[in-house]
Amino acid sequence: MNEPENTLAHPAGPGAEADPQDNRRQVLYWRLLARLFDPEEQAALESASLAVVEDIGLPPALLDPGASVDSVVQRHPELAAEFDGLMVPEPDADTDGDDTRDRPAEVRRAALVSKVLLNVFSTGTGAVSAGQLARWQSDAGWLERALGCTPGDLRGGRPGGGRGVGPTGTGGNGGTPDLSRLIPQIGPELGALEGDLVKRMHLREVLADPALAARLTPSMSLIEQLLRDKNNLSGVALANAKALIRRFVDEVAEILRTQVEKATVGAIDRSVPPKRVFRNLDLDRTIWKNLTNYSPEEERLYVDRLYYRHTARKTTPQRLVVVVDQSGSMVDSMVNCTILASIFAGLPKVDVHLIAYDTQALDLTPWVHDPFETLLRTNLGGGTDGTVAMALAQPKIAEPRNTVVVWISDFYEWRGEPLYESMAALHRSGVKFIPVGSVTSSGRGSVNPWFRERFKDLGTPVLSGHIRKLVHELKTFLT
């Protein structure tokens, strides 16, 4: 094929001989940028990119903005493995030694990277159909897979861990942009894009059509819209909305339940005698303690006493009070913590109470075992006045040293000082007080710096980040 004219400066500097493979790679990336920032098609870049893609044996569908990654992979199954981990740096990749790089492979990766980035970040304008949202969600899942994560992780909707990413740099996979270092920023941006698509969709009309509703994939953005609009829905639309909420709740609950099960459990209670059953038999200790009874002549060990392992855990009754800010900025925390509270409510000897608030407080404890019903009773949005929630929480604290209060909020309060003083009083009384700034899979969240500094001085720093941190804190205290 005829090489595209090189109008770009070569990385080696003026006077250096241009590498044809570098030219090809740069053509693909310039086309990507042009497509992202200018709706007008650049004919020269399009024709040059098509020539590059065909010459390296990739399907021209990679350059079709209307083709989803799913459709490309369906026609060319061999590409699925190439998209997986596409932007994860190779552990032993030499990012400085240009001479050792596989330049043809770089061009191939550039074509695949351009496809997934363009499909995800070029969302257009105007109304969005259920099919378009489903397609975008699928393409976003491919981007997450390319970054070494599980689909859904980065958008903050489904807490979970992705595969580890390697060192940062600009050439991770032989010249392919390494976006792994930007994962903390990419996740929230994906969530924002998804939220914008949901807002542009005529959700009520979609929900009223079972066939269209069935094409929706539950996500945090979609659940937020459903919870905000639930009072305006009825009949088939309301039934479809509830089905989507329950499906999302069940998916997140399954992941969180696994995290709770894997978290550290309580210490062994050696005051409880071990059960004398075979599964608790401590063979090593039994042999060691009876070595004095060994008969060399008979080559036999006589056992006078059997020793058993202690297995009982310290499980004193505990009370957990979860207070969640349900204002608009805390929707994902509200959803995640409602589900988490229901999981802990299922543990033996744990008494869980749940309070949601904005400018009014709502005691959701009667429904704490059913996060679906709990979420349907929330009223997202509004201002923030934590003093009304504190008025509900304080009477629930009968034994301070046996109580943990988890307060989830960004702490941008109307009456900050009175609320902080009551929180400090709880802490001084012996309550295990855990202020939480965000409970999402991405860990994104802004916390009022005034509260952050005072909690730090109090010895109860704000816990922000992945929900696994909160799971560990609660499991350690409650079991």
Side-chain angles (χ1 to χ4, degrees), residues 262-279:
K262 289 181 178 179
T264 305
V265 296
I268 295 292
D269 188 353
R270 299 194 176 277
S271 65
V272 179
K275 286 187 177 181
R276 295 176 175 270
V277 294
F278 180 75
R279 69 173 178 273

Side-chain angles (χ1 to χ4, degrees), residues 237-273:
L238 181 59
N240 286 329
K242 288 184 176 181
L244 286 165
I245 295 172
R246 184 174 287 282
R247 194 169 135 206
F248 183 78
V249 165
D250 290 344
E251 289 175 2
V252 176
E254 183 178 355
I255 297 170
L256 290 181
R257 193 172 291 110
T258 300
Q259 293 182 5
V260 171
E261 290 170 354
K262 289 181 178 179
T264 305
V265 296
I268 295 292
D269 188 353
R270 299 194 176 277
S271 65
V272 179

Side-chain angles (χ1 to χ4, degrees), residues 72-140:
V72 173
V73 169
Q74 187 175 6
R75 297 174 191 172
H76 307 275
E78 70 280 1
L79 294 180
E82 294 191 58
F83 278 110
D84 263 335
L86 181 65
M87 289 177 254
V88 177
E90 296 173 357
D92 54 353
D94 183 359
T95 59
D96 298 320
D98 284 351
D99 293 338
T100 66
R101 284 156 52 187
D102 185 352
R103 296 190 184 278
E106 292 175 27
V107 179
R108 188 177 182 89
R109 279 190 287 265
L112 298 174
V113 167
S114 296
K115 174 60 179 174
V116 72
L117 289 180
L118 183 61
N119 276 30
V120 171
F121 289 101
S122 181
T123 57
T125 58
V128 175
S129 69
Q132 288 173 317
L133 175 64
R135 191 196 103 170
W136 184 91
Q137 289 175 323
S138 173
D139 287 335

